[in-house]
Amino acid sequence: MSYVITEPCIGTKDKSCVDVCPVDCIHGNDDDAQLFIDPEVCIDCGACVSACPVEAIYADSDVPDKWKSYIDLNTAYFKS
Ligand code: SF4
Ligand code: SF4
């Protein structure tokens, strides 16, 4: 299991989640539309969820159907 960043991050991307992550597994550069969570490093603590002002972050098992594709997008970001 891992946590996943979904569509609402796009256009906000304020990095509030980065500051609270105890394992520093949330990444993205200036060219990326959103940030991404490395599923291999995330320890499922959930701290980032309440830090996000736009409710973009979900446990992978709780991602709304319309944003399921973001599960693979987060994983793929760290394989490129
Ligand atoms: S759930 Fe915890 S470890 Fe995973 S990205 Fe969020 S803050 Fe980091
Ligand atoms: S706190 Fe939410 S909107 Fe801000 S960068 Fe993290 S996921 Fe994106």
Side-chain angles (χ1 to χ4, degrees):
M1 187 186 136
S2 168
Y3 279 65
V4 176
I5 298 180
T6 65
E7 186 176 271
C9 181
I10 298 172
T12 302
K13 204 180 157 191
D14 67 340
K15 301 187 177 175
S16 298
C17 52
V18 174
D19 294 336
V20 302
C21 180
V23 293
D24 196 22
C25 68
I26 305 174
H27 300 281
N29 61 42
D30 289 347
D31 294 334
D32 296 319
Q34 64 166 93
L35 299 191
F36 301 94
I37 293 173
D38 187 341
E40 300 284 329
V41 182
C42 174
I43 58 170
D44 307 326
C45 72
C48 52
V49 174
S50 57
C52 179
V54 291
E55 295 184 39
I57 309 175
Y58 296 86
D60 57 5
S61 54
D62 293 335
V63 174
D65 283 347
K66 60 184 174 184
W67 293 331
K68 290 277 191 213
S69 61
Y70 284 82
I71 298 172
D72 285 345
L73 277 178
N74 279 249
T75 301
Y77 184 80
F78 298 97
K79 299 210 184 287
S80 58

Coordinates of all heavy atoms in Angstrom, one line a residue:
M1 N 0.8 -1.2 0.0 CA 0.0 0.0 0.0 C 0.9 1.3 0.0 O 2.0 1.2 0.4 CB -0.9 0.0 1.3 CG -1.9 1.1 1.3 SD -2.8 1.0 2.9 CE -2.8 2.8 3.3
S2 N 0.3 2.3 -0.5 CA 1.0 3.6 -0.5 C -0.1 4.7 -0.5 O -1.2 4.4 -0.8 CB 1.9 3.7 -1.7 OG 2.4 5.0 -1.9
Y3 N 0.4 5.9 -0.3 CA -0.5 7.1 -0.5 C -0.2 7.6 -1.9 O 0.9 7.4 -2.5 CB -0.3 8.1 0.6 CG -1.1 7.7 1.8 CD1 -0.8 6.6 2.6 CD2 -2.2 8.5 2.2 CE1 -1.5 6.2 3.7 CE2 -3.0 8.1 3.3 CZ -2.6 7.0 4.1 OH -3.3 6.6 5.2
V4 N -1.2 8.3 -2.5 CA -1.2 8.7 -3.9 C -1.6 10.2 -4.0 O -2.6 10.6 -3.4 CB -2.1 7.8 -4.7 CG1 -2.2 8.3 -6.2 CG2 -1.7 6.3 -4.7
I5 N -0.9 10.9 -4.8 CA -1.4 12.3 -5.1 C -2.2 12.3 -6.4 O -1.8 11.8 -7.4 CB -0.2 13.3 -5.2 CG1 0.6 13.3 -3.8 CG2 -0.6 14.7 -5.5 CD1 1.8 14.2 -3.8
T6 N -3.3 13.0 -6.3 CA -4.3 13.0 -7.5 C -4.5 14.4 -8.0 O -3.8 15.4 -7.6 CB -5.6 12.4 -7.0 OG1 -6.2 13.2 -6.0 CG2 -5.4 11.0 -6.5
E7 N -5.4 14.5 -9.0 CA -5.6 15.7 -9.8 C -5.7 17.0 -9.0 O -5.2 18.0 -9.6 CB -6.9 15.5 -10.6 CG -7.2 16.6 -11.6 CD -8.4 16.3 -12.5 OE1 -8.2 15.7 -13.5 OE2 -9.5 16.7 -12.1
P8 N -6.3 17.2 -7.9 CA -6.4 18.5 -7.3 C -5.1 19.2 -7.0 O -5.0 20.4 -6.8 CB -7.2 18.2 -6.0 CG -8.0 17.0 -6.2 CD -7.1 16.2 -7.1
C9 N -4.0 18.4 -7.0 CA -2.7 19.0 -6.8 C -2.3 19.9 -8.0 O -1.6 20.9 -7.8 CB -1.6 17.9 -6.6 SG 0.1 18.5 -6.3
I10 N -2.8 19.5 -9.1 CA -2.4 20.3 -10.3 C -3.0 21.7 -10.2 O -4.2 21.9 -10.0 CB -3.0 19.6 -11.6 CG1 -2.4 18.2 -11.8 CG2 -2.8 20.5 -12.8 CD1 -3.0 17.4 -12.9
G11 N -2.1 22.7 -10.3 CA -2.5 24.1 -10.2 C -2.4 24.6 -8.8 O -2.5 25.8 -8.5
T12 N -2.1 23.7 -7.8 CA -1.9 24.1 -6.4 C -0.5 23.9 -6.1 O 0.3 24.8 -5.9 CB -2.8 23.4 -5.5 OG1 -4.2 23.6 -5.8 CG2 -2.6 23.9 -4.0
K13 N -0.1 22.6 -5.9 CA 1.3 22.2 -5.8 C 2.1 23.1 -4.8 O 3.2 23.6 -5.2 CB 1.9 22.3 -7.2 CG 3.2 21.5 -7.5 CD 3.7 21.7 -8.9 CE 5.1 21.4 -9.0 NZ 5.6 21.8 -10.3
D14 N 1.5 23.3 -3.7 CA 2.1 24.2 -2.7 C 3.2 23.6 -1.8 O 3.8 24.2 -1.0 CB 1.0 24.9 -1.9 CG 0.4 23.8 -1.0 OD1 0.5 22.6 -1.3 OD2 -0.3 24.2 0.0
K15 N 3.3 22.3 -2.0 CA 4.4 21.5 -1.3 C 4.1 21.4 0.3 O 5.1 21.1 1.0 CB 5.8 22.1 -1.6 CG 6.1 22.0 -3.1 CD 7.5 22.4 -3.3 CE 7.9 22.2 -4.8 NZ 9.2 22.7 -5.2
S16 N 2.9 21.7 0.7 CA 2.7 21.6 2.1 C 2.9 20.1 2.6 O 3.4 19.9 3.7 CB 1.2 21.9 2.4 OG 1.0 23.2 2.1
C17 N 2.6 19.2 1.7 CA 2.8 17.8 2.1 C 4.3 17.4 2.3 O 4.6 16.6 3.1 CB 2.2 16.9 1.0 SG 2.8 17.3 -0.7
V18 N 5.1 18.0 1.5 CA 6.6 17.7 1.6 C 7.1 18.0 3.0 O 7.9 17.2 3.5 CB 7.4 18.5 0.5 CG1 8.9 18.4 0.7 CG2 6.9 18.2 -0.9
D19 N 6.6 19.1 3.5 CA 7.2 19.5 4.8 C 6.8 18.5 6.0 O 7.5 18.5 7.0 CB 6.6 20.9 5.2 CG 7.1 22.0 4.3 OD1 8.2 21.8 3.7 OD2 6.4 23.0 4.1
V20 N 5.7 17.8 5.8 CA 5.3 16.9 6.9 C 5.7 15.4 6.7 O 5.5 14.6 7.6 CB 3.8 17.0 7.1 CG1 3.3 18.4 7.5 CG2 3.0 16.5 6.0
C21 N 6.2 15.1 5.5 CA 6.5 13.7 5.3 C 7.8 13.3 6.0 O 8.8 13.8 5.8 CB 6.7 13.5 3.8 SG 7.1 11.7 3.4
P22 N 7.7 12.3 6.9 CA 8.8 11.9 7.7 C 9.9 11.1 7.0 O 11.0 11.0 7.5 CB 8.2 11.0 8.8 CG 7.0 10.4 8.2 CD 6.5 11.5 7.3
V23 N 9.6 10.6 5.8 CA 10.6 9.9 5.0 C 11.0 10.6 3.7 O 11.6 10.0 2.9 CB 10.1 8.4 4.8 CG1 10.0 7.7 6.1 CG2 8.8 8.4 4.0
D24 N 10.5 11.8 3.5 CA 10.9 12.6 2.3 C 10.7 11.8 1.0 O 11.6 11.8 0.2 CB 12.4 13.0 2.5 CG 12.8 14.1 1.5 OD1 11.8 14.9 1.1 OD2 13.9 14.3 1.2
C25 N 9.5 11.3 0.9 CA 9.2 10.5 -0.3 C 8.3 11.2 -1.3 O 7.8 10.6 -2.3 CB 8.6 9.1 0.0 SG 7.0 9.2 0.8
I26 N 8.0 12.5 -1.1 CA 7.2 13.3 -2.0 C 8.1 14.2 -2.9 O 8.8 15.0 -2.4 CB 6.2 14.1 -1.3 CG1 5.3 13.2 -0.3 CG2 5.2 14.8 -2.2 CD1 4.4 14.0 0.6
H27 N 8.0 14.0 -4.2 CA 8.9 14.6 -5.1 C 8.2 15.2 -6.3 O 7.1 14.9 -6.7 CB 10.0 13.6 -5.6 CG 10.8 13.0 -4.5 ND1 11.8 13.7 -3.8 CD2 10.7 11.9 -3.8 CE1 12.3 13.0 -2.9 NE2 11.6 11.8 -2.8
G28 N 9.0 16.1 -7.0 CA 8.5 16.7 -8.2 C 9.3 17.9 -8.5 O 9.8 18.6 -7.5
N29 N 9.6 18.2 -9.8 CA 10.4 19.4 -10.1 C 9.5 20.5 -10.6 O 8.3 20.3 -10.8 CB 11.6 19.1 -11.0 CG 11.1 18.5 -12.3 OD1 10.2 19.0 -12.9 ND2 11.8 17.5 -12.7
D30 N 10.1 21.7 -11.0 CA 9.3 22.8 -11.4 C 8.5 22.5 -12.7 O 7.5 23.1 -13.0 CB 10.2 24.0 -11.7 CG 10.7 24.6 -10.3 OD1 10.2 24.2 -9.3 OD2 11.7 25.4 -10.4
D31 N 9.0 21.6 -13.5 CA 8.4 21.3 -14.8 C 7.2 20.3 -14.6 O 6.4 20.1 -15.6 CB 9.4 20.6 -15.8 CG 10.4 21.6 -16.2 OD1 10.2 22.8 -16.1 OD2 11.6 21.2 -16.5
D32 N 7.1 19.7 -13.5 CA 6.0 18.7 -13.3 C 4.7 19.4 -12.9 O 4.7 20.4 -12.2 CB 6.4 17.7 -12.2 CG 7.6 16.9 -12.5 OD1 7.6 16.4 -13.7 OD2 8.4 16.6 -11.6
A33 N 3.6 18.9 -13.4 CA 2.3 19.6 -13.1 C 1.9 19.4 -11.7 O 1.1 20.1 -11.1 CB 1.2 19.0 -14.1
Q34 N 2.3 18.3 -11.1 CA 2.0 18.0 -9.7 C 3.1 17.3 -9.0 O 4.2 17.1 -9.6 CB 0.8 17.0 -9.7 CG 1.1 15.7 -10.3 CD 0.1 14.6 -10.0 OE1 -0.8 14.4 -10.8 NE2 0.2 13.9 -8.9
L35 N 3.0 17.0 -7.7 CA 4.0 16.2 -7.0 C 3.5 14.8 -7.0 O 2.4 14.4 -7.3 CB 4.2 16.7 -5.6 CG 4.6 18.2 -5.4 CD1 5.0 18.4 -4.0 CD2 5.8 18.5 -6.4
F36 N 4.5 13.9 -6.7 CA 4.2 12.4 -6.7 C 4.8 11.8 -5.4 O 5.8 12.2 -4.9 CB 4.9 11.8 -7.9 CG 4.4 12.4 -9.2 CD1 5.1 13.4 -9.8 CD2 3.2 11.9 -9.8 CE1 4.6 13.9 -11.0 CE2 2.8 12.4 -11.0 CZ 3.5 13.4 -11.6
I37 N 4.2 10.7 -5.0 CA 4.6 10.0 -3.8 C 5.3 8.7 -4.3 O 4.7 7.9 -5.0 CB 3.5 9.6 -2.9 CG1 2.9 10.9 -2.3 CG2 3.9 8.7 -1.8 CD1 1.7 10.7 -1.4
D38 N 6.5 8.5 -3.8 CA 7.3 7.2 -4.1 C 6.7 6.1 -3.3 O 6.9 6.0 -2.1 CB 8.7 7.4 -3.8 CG 9.6 6.2 -4.3 OD1 9.0 5.2 -4.6 OD2 10.8 6.4 -4.4
P39 N 6.0 5.1 -4.0 CA 5.3 4.1 -3.2 C 6.3 3.1 -2.6 O 5.9 2.4 -1.7 CB 4.5 3.4 -4.3 CG 5.2 3.7 -5.6 CD 5.8 5.0 -5.4
E40 N 7.5 3.1 -3.0 CA 8.5 2.2 -2.5 C 9.1 2.7 -1.1 O 9.6 2.0 -0.3 CB 9.7 2.0 -3.4 CG 9.4 1.4 -4.8 CD 9.1 0.0 -4.7 OE1 9.7 -0.7 -3.9 OE2 8.3 -0.5 -5.5
V41 N 8.9 4.0 -0.9 CA 9.4 4.6 0.3 C 8.3 5.0 1.3 O 8.6 5.0 2.5 CB 10.3 5.9 -0.1 CG1 10.9 6.5 1.1 CG2 11.4 5.5 -1.1
C42 N 7.2 5.4 0.8 CA 6.1 5.8 1.7 C 5.8 4.8 2.8 O 5.7 3.6 2.5 CB 4.8 6.0 0.8 SG 3.3 6.4 1.7
I43 N 5.6 5.2 4.0 CA 5.4 4.3 5.1 C 3.9 4.4 5.6 O 3.6 3.9 6.7 CB 6.3 4.6 6.3 CG1 6.1 6.1 6.8 CG2 7.8 4.3 6.0 CD1 6.8 6.4 8.1
D44 N 3.1 5.0 4.7 CA 1.6 5.0 5.0 C 1.2 5.6 6.3 O 0.3 5.2 7.0 CB 1.1 3.5 5.0 CG 1.4 2.8 3.7 OD1 1.5 3.4 2.7 OD2 1.7 1.6 3.8
C45 N 2.0 6.7 6.7 CA 1.6 7.3 8.0 C 0.4 8.2 7.9 O -0.2 8.5 8.9 CB 2.8 8.1 8.5 SG 3.1 9.6 7.5
G46 N 0.1 8.7 6.7 CA -1.1 9.5 6.5 C -0.9 11.0 6.9 O -1.9 11.8 6.7
A47 N 0.3 11.4 7.3 CA 0.5 12.8 7.7 C 0.2 13.8 6.6 O -0.2 14.9 6.9 CB 1.9 12.9 8.3
C48 N 0.5 13.4 5.4 CA 0.3 14.3 4.3 C -1.1 14.7 4.0 O -1.4 15.7 3.4 CB 1.0 13.8 3.0 SG 0.5 12.1 2.6
V49 N -2.0 13.8 4.3 CA -3.4 13.9 3.9 C -4.0 15.2 4.5 O -4.6 16.0 3.7 CB -4.3 12.7 4.4 CG1 -5.8 13.0 4.1 CG2 -3.8 11.5 3.7
S50 N -3.9 15.4 5.8 CA -4.5 16.6 6.4 C -3.7 17.9 6.1 O -4.2 19.0 6.2 CB -4.6 16.4 7.9 OG -3.4 16.1 8.5
A51 N -2.4 17.7 5.6 CA -1.6 18.9 5.3 C -2.0 19.5 3.9 O -1.7 20.7 3.7 CB -0.1 18.5 5.2
C52 N -2.6 18.7 3.1 CA -3.0 19.1 1.7 C -4.2 20.0 1.8 O -5.3 19.6 2.2 CB -3.2 17.9 0.8 SG -3.6 18.5 -0.9
P53 N -4.1 21.3 1.2 CA -5.3 22.2 1.3 C -6.4 21.9 0.3 O -7.5 22.4 0.4 CB -4.6 23.5 1.0 CG -3.4 23.2 0.1 CD -2.9 21.9 0.7
V54 N -6.1 21.0 -0.7 CA -7.1 20.7 -1.7 C -7.5 19.2 -1.7 O -8.1 18.7 -2.7 CB -6.6 21.1 -3.1 CG1 -6.5 22.6 -3.2 CG2 -5.2 20.5 -3.4
E55 N -7.2 18.5 -0.7 CA -7.6 17.0 -0.6 C -7.2 16.2 -1.8 O -8.0 15.5 -2.4 CB -9.1 16.9 -0.3 CG -9.5 17.5 1.0 CD -11.0 17.3 1.3 OE1 -11.6 16.2 1.0 OE2 -11.6 18.2 1.9
A56 N -5.9 16.4 -2.2 CA -5.4 15.6 -3.3 C -4.9 14.3 -3.0 O -4.6 13.5 -3.9 CB -4.3 16.5 -4.0
I57 N -4.7 14.0 -1.7 CA -3.9 12.8 -1.3 C -4.8 11.7 -0.7 O -5.6 12.0 0.2 CB -2.8 13.1 -0.3 CG1 -1.9 14.3 -0.9 CG2 -1.9 11.9 -0.1 CD1 -0.8 14.7 0.0
Y58 N -4.7 10.5 -1.2 CA -5.5 9.4 -0.7 C -4.7 8.2 -0.5 O -3.7 8.0 -1.2 CB -6.6 9.0 -1.7 CG -7.6 10.1 -2.0 CD1 -7.3 11.1 -2.9 CD2 -8.8 10.1 -1.3 CE1 -8.3 12.1 -3.1 CE2 -9.8 11.2 -1.5 CZ -9.5 12.1 -2.5 OH -10.4 13.1 -2.7
A59 N -5.1 7.3 0.4 CA -4.5 5.9 0.4 C -4.9 5.3 -0.9 O -6.0 5.5 -1.4 CB -5.1 5.1 1.6
D60 N -4.0 4.5 -1.5 CA -4.3 3.9 -2.8 C -5.6 3.1 -2.8 O -6.3 3.1 -3.9 CB -3.1 3.1 -3.3 CG -2.7 1.9 -2.5 OD1 -3.3 1.7 -1.4 OD2 -1.7 1.3 -2.8
S61 N -6.0 2.5 -1.7 CA -7.2 1.8 -1.7 C -8.5 2.7 -1.6 O -9.6 2.2 -1.9 CB -7.2 0.8 -0.5 OG -7.0 1.6 0.7
D62 N -8.3 4.0 -1.4 CA -9.4 4.9 -1.2 C -9.4 6.0 -2.3 O -10.3 6.9 -2.2 CB -9.2 5.7 0.1 CG -9.4 4.7 1.3 OD1 -10.1 3.7 1.2 OD2 -8.9 5.1 2.4
V63 N -8.6 5.8 -3.3 CA -8.6 6.8 -4.4 C -10.0 6.8 -5.1 O -10.4 5.7 -5.5 CB -7.5 6.6 -5.4 CG1 -7.6 7.5 -6.6 CG2 -6.1 6.7 -4.7
P64 N -10.6 7.9 -5.3 CA -11.9 7.9 -6.0 C -11.7 7.3 -7.4 O -10.7 7.5 -8.1 CB -12.3 9.4 -6.1 CG -11.6 10.0 -4.9 CD -10.3 9.2 -4.8
D65 N -12.8 6.7 -7.9 CA -12.7 6.0 -9.3 C -12.2 6.9 -10.4 O -11.4 6.5 -11.2 CB -14.1 5.4 -9.7 CG -14.4 4.2 -8.9 OD1 -13.5 3.6 -8.3 OD2 -15.5 3.8 -8.9
K66 N -12.6 8.2 -10.4 CA -12.2 9.1 -11.4 C -10.8 9.4 -11.4 O -10.2 9.9 -12.4 CB -13.1 10.4 -11.3 CG -12.9 11.1 -10.0 CD -13.8 12.4 -9.9 CE -13.6 13.0 -8.6 NZ -14.6 14.1 -8.4
W67 N -10.1 9.1 -10.3 CA -8.7 9.4 -10.3 C -7.8 8.2 -10.1 O -6.6 8.3 -9.7 CB -8.4 10.4 -9.1 CG -9.0 11.8 -9.3 CD1 -9.2 12.4 -10.5 CD2 -9.5 12.7 -8.3 NE1 -9.8 13.6 -10.3 CE2 -10.0 13.8 -9.0 CE3 -9.5 12.6 -6.9 CZ2 -10.5 14.9 -8.3 CZ3 -10.1 13.7 -6.3 CH2 -10.6 14.8 -6.9
K68 N -8.3 7.0 -10.4 CA -7.6 5.8 -10.2 C -6.3 5.8 -11.0 O -5.3 5.1 -10.7 CB -8.4 4.6 -10.6 CG -9.6 4.2 -9.7 CD -9.1 3.4 -8.5 CE -10.3 2.9 -7.7 NZ -10.1 2.8 -6.3
S69 N -6.3 6.4 -12.2 CA -5.1 6.4 -13.0 C -3.9 7.1 -12.4 O -2.8 6.8 -12.7 CB -5.4 7.2 -14.4 OG -5.7 8.5 -14.1
Y70 N -4.2 7.9 -11.3 CA -3.1 8.5 -10.7 C -2.2 7.6 -9.8 O -1.1 7.8 -9.5 CB -3.6 9.7 -9.8 CG -4.0 10.9 -10.6 CD1 -5.2 11.0 -11.2 CD2 -3.1 11.9 -10.8 CE1 -5.5 12.0 -12.0 CE2 -3.4 13.0 -11.6 CZ -4.6 13.1 -12.2 OH -5.0 14.2 -13.0
I71 N -2.8 6.4 -9.5 CA -2.0 5.4 -8.8 C -0.8 5.0 -9.6 O 0.3 5.0 -9.2 CB -2.9 4.2 -8.4 CG1 -4.0 4.6 -7.5 CG2 -2.0 3.1 -7.8 CD1 -5.1 3.5 -7.3
D72 N -1.1 4.7 -10.9 CA 0.0 4.3 -11.8 C 0.9 5.5 -12.1 O 2.1 5.3 -12.3 CB -0.5 3.7 -13.1 CG -1.1 2.3 -12.9 OD1 -0.7 1.7 -11.9 OD2 -1.8 1.8 -13.8
L73 N 0.3 6.7 -12.2 CA 1.1 7.8 -12.5 C 2.2 8.1 -11.4 O 3.3 8.4 -11.7 CB 0.2 9.1 -12.7 CG -0.4 9.3 -14.0 CD1 -1.3 10.5 -13.9 CD2 0.6 9.5 -15.1
N74 N 1.8 8.0 -10.2 CA 2.7 8.2 -9.1 C 3.8 7.1 -9.1 O 5.0 7.4 -9.0 CB 2.0 8.1 -7.7 CG 1.3 9.4 -7.4 OD1 1.7 10.1 -6.4 ND2 0.3 9.8 -8.1
T75 N 3.5 5.9 -9.4 CA 4.5 4.8 -9.5 C 5.4 5.0 -10.6 O 6.7 4.9 -10.5 CB 3.8 3.4 -9.6 OG1 2.9 3.2 -8.5 CG2 4.8 2.3 -9.7
A76 N 4.8 5.4 -11.8 CA 5.6 5.5 -13.0 C 6.7 6.6 -12.9 O 7.8 6.6 -13.5 CB 4.7 5.8 -14.2
Y77 N 6.3 7.7 -12.1 CA 7.2 8.8 -12.0 C 8.6 8.4 -11.5 O 9.6 9.0 -11.9 CB 6.6 9.9 -11.1 CG 7.4 11.1 -11.0 CD1 7.3 12.1 -11.9 CD2 8.3 11.3 -9.9 CE1 8.1 13.3 -11.9 CE2 9.0 12.5 -9.8 CZ 8.9 13.5 -10.8 OH 9.7 14.6 -10.7
F78 N 8.6 7.4 -10.7 CA 9.9 7.0 -10.0 C 10.6 5.9 -10.8 O 11.7 5.4 -10.4 CB 9.6 6.6 -8.6 CG 9.1 7.7 -7.8 CD1 7.8 7.9 -7.6 CD2 10.0 8.7 -7.3 CE1 7.3 9.0 -6.8 CE2 9.5 9.8 -6.6 CZ 8.2 9.9 -6.4
K79 N 10.0 5.4 -11.9 CA 10.6 4.4 -12.7 C 11.3 4.9 -14.0 O 11.9 4.2 -14.7 CB 9.6 3.3 -13.1 CG 8.9 2.6 -11.9 CD 8.5 1.2 -12.2 CE 7.8 0.5 -11.0 NZ 8.7 0.1 -10.0
S80 N 11.0 6.2 -14.2 CA 11.6 6.8 -15.4 C 13.0 7.3 -15.2 O 13.5 7.4 -14.1 CB 10.7 8.0 -15.9 OG 10.6 8.9 -14.9
Ligands
SF4_1 S1 1.6 8.8 3.9 FE1 3.3 9.5 5.3 S2 5.2 8.6 4.4 FE2 3.5 8.4 2.8 S3 3.8 10.3 1.6 FE3 2.3 10.8 3.1 S4 3.5 11.7 4.8 FE4 5.0 10.6 3.5
SF4_2 S1 -0.1 19.5 -0.3 FE1 -1.6 18.8 -1.8 S2 -1.6 20.4 -3.4 FE2 0.1 20.8 -2.1 S3 1.8 19.8 -3.2 FE3 1.0 18.3 -1.7 S4 -0.5 17.1 -2.8 FE4 -0.1 19.0 -4.0

